[in-house]
Amino acid sequence: MEELLGALADPARWRLVALLAERPRPVGVLAELAGARQPQTTKHLQTLERAGVVTSQRTGQRRVYALRPGPLRDLAAALGRIADDADRPGGALETFHRYGAGLGAERLAAREAGWADGRTFSFARSLPRPPELVWRHLTEPSLLAGWWAPQDLRVSALVFEARPGGRVVLEYRDAEDPGGSDAVAGRAEGVVEEVRPGERLRYRSSPVLPNGEPAFTAHVDLGLRSDGAGTGLDARLRITGSTVESADFVAGIEIGFGQSLDKLAAVLAAASTNDTEHDTEHDTEHDDDTRSTR
């Protein structure tokens, strides 16, 4: 595929492909129609043939070239899949545009301190694991690190002391950093306020601005309830102490916190699948042992 893309990237070769799409043609005719010298045209055709997009055969003193449509159809299908993936409902492009629209609106609204105070965000998730396991993922740093950041970020430092007055620290970096700078993308610090294992967790957390000051304080209230074989999670986030500089942070709450909860659901679903497979293997081994003793 890379060789094909490289071959088609040259405008002169693209012109030859278009000419051959009409009908097979000899080198001399192609050179004349393309307004190029024959040796140069021959080299372009050889590149296209190595890439598999044209084929040739000698007829008397002439070499005639024809287009092979299969590789072009494969390329078109691959490009279509890429475009469909980017344009899928609820996908990355839609999220990007939604965040952009929210960012513009919040920046316009952030004209003075306290502009977002009292703003609340609510989230609900049905999680496929019992409350005691969900609670562990909400309070144990080793498990929190697996989901407590939006999709394009990764947790790089985390402190969560699950007791009233306990510290909360979350630092994150870009999930992909091809430049190798590994710069901190954000940091938040806070305090745990209420702990009722398996039922309710409340804490406050403040994103830190580049100058070291808090952008605002998010008061997070997480409630857990049994939901059949799983857990219903209700999350509420309320803002106080908002600064003018907090607009970008506030704009990202709905998408970012929602993505984090989606990652939590995915982590728990994967754990559930692994447990099921383990149970199946255990049952199979037990059956084999039983048969061997008969």
Side-chain angles (χ1 to χ4, degrees), residues 130-145:
E132 56 270 19
L133 182 58
V134 174
W135 180 262
R136 291 183 56 204
H137 279 78
L138 295 177
T139 57
E140 294 183 15
S142 61
L143 297 176
L144 268 170

Side-chain angles (χ1 to χ4, degrees), residues 134-206:
V134 174
W135 180 262
R136 291 183 56 204
H137 279 78
L138 295 177
T139 57
E140 294 183 15
S142 61
L143 297 176
L144 268 170
W147 66 270
W148 209 21
Q151 291 174 356
D152 59 341
L153 300 170
R154 60 181 173 83
V155 174
S156 55
L158 192 154
V159 176
F160 197 96
E161 299 172 345
R163 56 177 174 76
R167 290 191 308 144
V168 177
V169 177
L170 171 64
E171 182 181 277
Y172 46 86
R173 302 169 189 255
D174 288 333
E176 299 174 345
D177 185 12
S181 63
D182 206 32
V184 174
R187 181 181 175 87
E189 301 175 358
V191 177
V192 175
E193 296 180 324
E194 183 179 359
V195 177
R196 297 201 320 229
E199 297 180 10
R200 190 180 188 191
L201 176 66
R202 289 194 307 116
Y203 63 90
R204 62 180 186 270
S205 178
S206 299

Side-chain angles (χ1 to χ4, degrees), residues 188-249:
E189 301 175 358
V191 177
V192 175
E193 296 180 324
E194 183 179 359
V195 177
R196 297 201 320 229
E199 297 180 10
R200 190 180 188 191
L201 176 66
R202 289 194 307 116
Y203 63 90
R204 62 180 186 270
S205 178
S206 299
V208 179
L209 293 168
N211 63 7
E213 296 296 321
F216 64 88
T217 296
H219 301 263
V220 181
D221 190 340
L222 303 174
L224 283 67
R225 50 187 167 75
S226 294
D227 183 13
T231 301
L233 174 64
D234 298 309
R236 186 172 181 269
L237 187 151
R238 178 174 57 88
I239 294 176
T240 62
S242 53
T243 63
V244 173
E245 296 83 4
S246 67
D248 291 12
F249 293 94

Side-chain angles (χ1 to χ4, degrees), residues 43-120:
K43 289 183 179 179
H44 283 318
L45 289 167
Q46 289 172 344
T47 298
L48 290 169
E49 191 164 21
R50 285 195 298 271
V53 74
V54 304
T55 186
S56 67
Q57 64 182 20
R58 182 167 291 281
T59 303
Q61 298 299 312
R62 302 186 307 163
R63 179 164 292 277
V64 178
Y65 282 83
L67 187 68
R68 297 181 67 243
L72 294 178
R73 289 199 177 96
D74 292 342
L75 176 59
L79 292 173
R81 288 192 295 271
I82 292 172
D84 290 343
D85 187 51
D87 201 33
R88 71 185 187 278
L93 183 61
E94 182 179 310
T95 300
F96 178 80
H97 288 313
R98 184 155 56 96
Y99 174 67
L103 187 61
E106 302 295 14
R107 285 175 176 174
L108 287 174
R111 297 180 179 178
E112 60 184 17
W115 67 278
D117 288 7
R119 182 90 64 88
T120 61

